[in-house]
Amino acid sequence: HSRLPDAFPPTMQGLLGATEFIEAARQFPDRWRLDGDPVLVVGGGNTAMDAAILSAKLGGQVTVVYRRDEAAMGAYPAERDLARRHGVRFLFGAKVLTPQGGGADGAEFVEGLRVRLASGIDVLPARRLIMAVGQSRWQRLRDALTQASIGADGLFAVDAAFKTAIPGVFAGGDCVNGGREAVHAVAHGRDAARAMADWLAGPVAPW
């Protein structure tokens, strides 16, 4: 699940986690189309670029908001270039504060995002606010695997083959490295799958 800052109300309409948005919009693009409405994507990784490019394809006027400069972004240069070719703009050096909401009858929806810039505090208009600032671990999965070795940082301890302390249970990606790019999770999955195949095959007989 995408992680939202504590000050961001999860029930606010138009406030979305990047991974959830990408999954839903790819499955049902017609439900997510925009008519030139402003979209803000907060984050600097490849997931943020994916969300920004997809939002632009769906008709949004997209701006990526990042707290540092472009050189510090985790997204690959090719991904940033692709986003720009789709009309995505970038705002650097913006510290995210709180979403700006509006509404009536108990419903609250996104109207903008308060940020701190070098020039002072500003409110960026937004019809859709997509957060790509990391993911939270699945607590229920951790609770179910109580025999696994979990460190004080909440991460699973694994060996070089991604095996946990529980026979037959392997772990990789965010629950091992704390949250990096999707490419690292894919690599873990590939290597762990090979280790799983070896484990299932059992020891090789000497004859």
Side-chain angles (χ1 to χ4, degrees), residues 9 110 136 194:
V110 168
S136 60
R194 292 170 177 165

Side-chain angles (χ1 to χ4, degrees), residues 81-143:
D81 292 342
L82 181 61
R84 285 190 168 99
R85 288 200 296 272
H86 281 88
V88 175
R89 293 169 291 185
F90 290 79
L91 177 63
F92 298 108
K95 177 179 174 56
V96 171
L97 299 177
T98 56
Q100 192 87 0
D105 300 327
E108 188 175 21
F109 53 85
V110 168
E111 289 186 338
L113 176 66
R114 293 179 69 248
V115 297
R116 186 185 301 279
L117 305 173
S119 57
I121 294 177
D122 195 6
V123 177
L124 310 175
R127 174 76 179 276
R128 187 171 291 165
L129 176 57
I130 301 172
M131 305 299 294
V133 293
Q135 296 181 335
S136 60
R137 303 181 193 96
W138 285 21
Q139 185 65 42
R140 285 184 298 176
L141 177 61
R142 281 180 50 195
D143 292 343

Side-chain angles (χ1 to χ4, degrees), residues 21 23-34 54 57-58 128:
F21 163 72
E23 179 181 4
R26 284 178 174 167
Q27 289 183 351
F28 308 103
D30 289 340
R31 300 181 186 178
W32 295 90
R33 298 201 182 278
L34 294 164
L54 182 55
K57 288 180 177 179
L58 292 171
R128 187 171 291 165

Side-chain angles (χ1 to χ4, degrees), residues 148-151 153-159 162-166 169 171 175-176:
S149 178
I150 300 175
D153 55 4
L155 302 178
F156 286 100
V158 296
D159 63 13
F162 298 97
K163 289 188 291 186
T164 70
I166 304 176
V169 176
C175 66
V176 168

